[in-house]
């Protein structure tokens, strides 16, 4: 494709997303009310995640599918249907940072993001699979990839993924601790979403970013230590923009910490409402959340009713919200649903 063709395709995609976001703001103004989510009892699984990692739960082929890095061998495992009978993908990852897995569904296939184990440089990787277990040769990204401009990615943070079905959006942290967006339509080539070296926010991140599709556009969230009313502020905004703001006021998020890298937010779109979940920024590690009808005005603080470690993951199957997380006292994974 010519450079003009790439520019035209990118411009059309960005314009389409901006129009969708503007319409969303017109249809869903103001704060939401009575939109709390009441989760049932926790189910502890045999799935065992690496110490400094979190599970990622998605819907693939109309069933729940969970990916995580196994505690014993730093290999990505997949659990179909939350059955407690996980399968190894055979993908070994670099596990000296926050060892997570980014997952979404693109063109009917599973797209994974992870940190490739080769060091100096360590690469970010994207890989696709038709069955969710067997993945092809990964696309490796290092210096200057993922829209991060003239720098290396920060390999402490696995890139986050979300998809509208035909386009996957990728949030990558650069070594300047800012979050950058790119996109792919095939899992093998990527383009900057807004501009190469253009961050989604003036705020820097201390956590892995989170993405979700909300009202037709990708939204991004992370926690930041940029000076403000509290530490570990929540930053949430349009991923195809450049000024994602602090939300939630004087609420502090994300207690767990590894060499300055902290637990992050999990974004969820459900029944026209945008939610931001994270653990409390105290040793209790209780899960809490805020929500918004439109992405501008946000609710007060709500508590989900469980303790956890690192970053939660949420998805919707039918009308049910599923929540997966690392247990507070060990590295087992538990899940709950409303």
């Amino acid at each position: 494709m010519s450079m003009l063709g790439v520019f035209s395709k990118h411009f059309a995609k960005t314009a389409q997303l901006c129009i969708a976001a503007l319409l969303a703001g017109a249809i869903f103004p103001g704060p939401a009310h009575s939109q709390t989510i009441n989760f049932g009892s926790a189910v502890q699984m045999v799935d065992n995640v690496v110490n400094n990692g979190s599970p990622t739960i998605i819907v693939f082929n109309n069933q729940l599918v969970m990916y995580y890095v196994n505690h014993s061998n730093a290999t990505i495992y997949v659990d179909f249907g939350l059955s407690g009978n996980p399968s190894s993908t055979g993908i070994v990852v670099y596990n000296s940072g926050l060892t997570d897995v980014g997952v979404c569904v693109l063109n009917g296939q599973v797209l994974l993001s992870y940190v490739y184990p080769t060091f100096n440089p360590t690469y970010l990787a994207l890989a696709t699979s038709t069955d969710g277990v067997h993945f092809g040769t990964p696309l490796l990204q290092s210096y200057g990839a993922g829209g991060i401009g003239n720098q290396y990615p920060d390999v402490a943070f696995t890139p986050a993924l979300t998809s509208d079905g035909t386009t996957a959006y990728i949030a990558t942290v650069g070594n300047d601790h800012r979050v950058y967006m790119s996109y792919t339509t095939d899992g093998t080539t990527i383009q900057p979403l807004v501009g190469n070296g253009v961050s989604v926010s003036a705020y820097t991140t201390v956590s892995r970013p989170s993405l979700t599709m909300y009202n037709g556009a990708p939204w991004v969230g992370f926690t930041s230590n940029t000076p403000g009313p509290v530490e570990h502020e929540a930053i949430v905004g349009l991923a195809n923009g450049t000024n994602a703001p602090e939300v939630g006021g004087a609420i502090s998020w994300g207690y767990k910490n590894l060499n300055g890298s902290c637990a992050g937010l999990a974004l969820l779109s459900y029944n026209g409402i945008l939610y931001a979940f994270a653990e409390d920024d105290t040793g209790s590690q209780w899960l809490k959340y805020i929500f918004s009808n439109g992405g501008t005005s946000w609710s007060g603080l709500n508590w989900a009713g469980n303790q956890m470690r690192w970053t939660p993951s949420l998805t919707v199957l039918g009308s049910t919200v599923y929540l997966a997380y690392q247990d507070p006292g060990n590295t087992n994974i538990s899940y709950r649903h409303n």
Side-chain angles (χ1 to χ4, degrees), residues 45-77:
M45 309 177 70
V46 299
D47 300 80
N48 200 267
V49 67
V50 70
N51 275 332
N52 300 313
S54 308
T56 300
I57 186 172
I58 64 165
V59 174
F60 175 56
N61 288 341
N62 203 36
Q63 67 174 322
L64 296 168
V65 183
M66 182 174 68
Y67 289 84
Y68 62 94
V69 179
N70 184 271
H71 181 82
S72 62
N73 56 14
T75 299
I76 297 174
Y77 276 65

Side-chain angles (χ1 to χ4, degrees), residues 10-317:
H10 164 64
F11 179 82
K13 171 65 67 175
T14 303
Q16 185 180 44
L17 292 173
C18 289
I19 292 170
L22 289 172
L23 290 175
I27 296 170
F28 299 103
H33 301 282
S34 302
Q35 300 293 339
T36 56
I37 300 176
N38 298 312
F39 292 99
S41 300
V43 177
Q44 189 177 73
M45 309 177 70
V46 299
D47 300 80
N48 200 267
V49 67
V50 70
N51 275 332
N52 300 313
S54 308
T56 300
I57 186 172
I58 64 165
V59 174
F60 175 56
N61 288 341
N62 203 36
Q63 67 174 322
L64 296 168
V65 183
M66 182 174 68
Y67 289 84
Y68 62 94
V69 179
N70 184 271
H71 181 82
S72 62
N73 56 14
T75 299
I76 297 174
Y77 276 65
V78 56
D79 189 331
F80 288 91
L82 306 185
S83 65
N85 186 29
S87 301
S88 172
T89 66
I91 298 174
V92 179
V93 305
Y94 172 77
N95 68 340
S96 292
L98 300 186
T99 313
D100 300 325
V101 184
V103 195
C104 70
V105 178
L106 175 64
N107 299 322
Q109 300 186 71
V110 173
L111 177 67
L112 284 186
S113 66
Y114 58 97
V115 182
Y116 200 73
T118 303
F119 191 73
N120 196 21
T122 297
Y123 296 95
L124 306 180
L126 295 175
T128 58
S129 171
T130 57
D131 64 5
V133 180
H134 304 94
F135 287 83
T137 302
L139 169 68
L140 300 182
Q141 309 169 66
S142 185
Y143 185 79
I148 62 178
N150 190 26
Q151 61 180 312
Y152 283 99
D154 187 339
V155 296
F157 305 113
T158 302
L161 300 177
T162 193
S163 173
D164 62 10
T166 58
T167 300
Y169 301 95
I170 309 162
T172 303
V173 179
N175 61 12
D176 63 353
H177 308 298
R178 298 187 184 276
V179 178
Y180 299 88
M181 292 298 305
S182 57
Y183 72 96
T184 180
T185 57
D186 56 13
T188 59
T189 57
I190 63 172
Q191 298 288 338
L193 180 62
V194 180
N196 196 23
V198 179
S199 175
V200 300
S201 178
Y203 292 91
T204 57
T205 185
V206 293
S207 76
R208 180 194 175 202
S210 175
L211 291 171
T212 194
M213 296 299 301
Y214 177 58
N215 291 337
W219 286 67
V220 63
F222 55 89
T223 54
S224 176
N225 266 356
T226 302
V230 294
E231 288 190 331
H232 300 177
E233 300 157 311
I235 311 299
V236 180
L238 282 163
N240 60 327
T242 59
N243 57 356
E246 177 199 347
V247 300
I251 301 174
S252 191
W253 309 79
Y255 173 75
K256 289 295 290 182
N257 184 304
L258 175 69
N259 300 324
S261 300
C262 300
L265 303 177
L267 299 185
L268 171 73
S269 176
Y270 178 58
N271 285 345
I273 305 298
L274 179 63
Y275 294 82
F277 284 79
E279 67 171 8
D280 190 31
D281 190 24
T282 67
S284 66
Q285 300 176 88
W286 284 94
L287 182 60
K288 60 189 183 182
Y289 66 97
I290 55 177
F291 55 86
S292 174
N293 190 341
T296 53
S297 299
W298 290 78
S299 73
L301 191 59
N302 300 273
W303 298 89
N306 63 273
Q307 291 177 295
M308 57 161 293
R309 298 201 299 177
W310 292 111
T311 304
S313 179
L314 300 100
T315 194
V316 179
L317 178 59

